[in-house]
Amino acid sequence: MNQSDLIAKCAEKTGLTKTKMKEVLETIGDVVLAAVKSKQTVTIPVIGRFTHKVAQARSCRNPRTGAIMKVPAKAKMAFSASSFVKESLQKK
């Protein structure tokens, strides 16, 4: 399902226009991103939880030259599915 399919399906279920539904989804994305950037955890009921994670700095080897390179630490957004999602995926 791509973005336009998601917008159309949500608009149909809520009765909102596709334009308004797109604004709502973009706003939710902006709010979640801003919260995670400020190291807050965002929980969306039924879907899951978004958290801020840091990938530690590490060393790796360049496969082409064999030289050892340093990879700096970087921020990531992690997602953990809710128990409802996990259980729903297991049902046949």
Side-chain angles (χ1 to χ4, degrees), residues 10-70:
C10 290
E12 180 183 311
K13 286 191 168 231
T14 61
L16 295 173
T17 65
K18 289 181 184 179
T19 304
K20 194 65 171 169
M21 192 69 238
K22 183 177 179 183
E23 289 177 25
V24 169
L25 289 175
E26 288 174 350
T27 302
I28 290 170
D30 292 343
V31 169
V32 169
L33 181 59
V36 172
K37 273 180 148 180
S38 65
K39 299 181 182 175
Q40 295 177 316
T41 298
V42 178
T43 302
I44 300 176
V46 181
I47 295 176
R49 183 175 58 230
F50 295 92
T51 56
H52 180 270
K53 296 271 184 176
V54 176
Q56 299 298 321
R58 61 188 172 86
S59 297
C60 69
R61 188 173 299 275
N62 182 332
R64 182 172 290 173
T65 64
I68 294 178
M69 304 177 351
K70 293 188 186 237

Side-chain angles (χ1 to χ4, degrees), residues 1-13 25:
M1 178 180 282
N2 61 26
Q3 180 179 346
S4 60
D5 294 339
L6 177 64
I7 289 169
K9 185 77 97 172
C10 290
E12 180 183 311
K13 286 191 168 231
L25 289 175

